Amino acid sequence: MVLGRHNLRAIPITPETEQLLERSSYIMLSRIQRQGPMSIGQLSEAFGLDASTLNRQTAAAMRAGLLRRIPDPEGGIARKFQLTDEGARRLTVTRDWHVDGLDRVMAEWSPQDVLDFAAFLRRFNTDIERIDKRPWPRPEEEIDGAGGG
């Protein structure tokens, strides 16, 4: 509950925070960055959301210049969404902002405490994904436990 409240607090508007993505855009763009171009159907399957919700989210992201529609690189009929340079930049800004916040919270933690927390969080997330049957794509080194997460 504390983590949820922390994330829901009002963020003061500064030039830096104006660049931050809102939560649903951050998650959607992260998935597209990790997995590559995705169709509405693939996004629906990945997130368990209906097509109308995803149509609204992708349309807003396109208007903001974060996504573009492209033909399916594999030759399929459905058009797919791909990050623009601006989408990738804003995703990086947002990710860095969150990582900085975590660094501040864990500033006095031992390196082992940080590693233990990361391992439990990875396990928690992958168990939720297993139950939901919606795994999040990860590089092999993260799956094997050798990478960060």
Side-chain angles (χ1 to χ4, degrees):
M1 286 174 46
V2 171
L3 179 60
R5 282 197 314 267
H6 176 72
N7 286 335
L8 296 175
R9 274 193 299 210
I11 298 170
I13 303 298
T14 66
E16 178 189 26
T17 61
E18 283 182 336
Q19 298 299 305
L20 297 178
L21 298 169
E22 55 86 23
R23 183 180 173 274
S24 63
S25 291
Y26 178 77
I27 293 169
M28 180 176 60
L29 270 59
S30 292
R31 183 65 179 250
I32 293 171
Q33 183 184 54
R34 175 72 70 181
Q35 193 164 332
M38 297 178 74
S39 67
I40 289 289
Q42 290 171 316
L43 289 166
S44 178
E45 184 177 317
F47 296 120
L49 297 172
D50 61 79
S52 64
T53 299
L54 289 161
N55 277 317
R56 284 190 301 275
Q57 289 179 353
T58 54
M62 287 177 55
R63 282 191 305 276
L66 306 174
L67 288 178
R68 67 176 150 259
R69 288 185 81 121
I70 61 168
D72 184 346
E74 298 166 7
I77 296 172
R79 294 181 55 86
K80 294 194 173 187
F81 295 94
Q82 179 182 57
L83 266 65
T84 62
D85 289 343
E86 177 66 5
R89 185 190 71 75
R90 298 250 322 259
L91 183 58
T92 298
V93 166
T94 305
R95 186 173 291 129
D96 290 348
W97 189 83
H98 287 294
V99 168
D100 181 61
L102 289 171
D103 286 345
R104 284 185 282 126
V105 169
M106 297 181 198
E108 296 182 19
W109 292 25
S110 73
Q112 188 60 51
D113 285 347
V114 173
L115 289 172
D116 291 346
F117 178 77
F120 283 122
L121 187 57
R122 185 179 302 113
R123 180 178 173 189
F124 182 81
N125 286 336
T126 56
D127 282 349
I128 289 172
E129 294 164 6
R130 177 183 49 78
I131 290 166
D132 286 349
K133 296 178 178 51
R134 289 191 179 89
W136 190 269
R138 290 178 177 83
E140 284 300 314
E141 65 272 8
E142 286 184 18
I143 294 170
D144 294 337

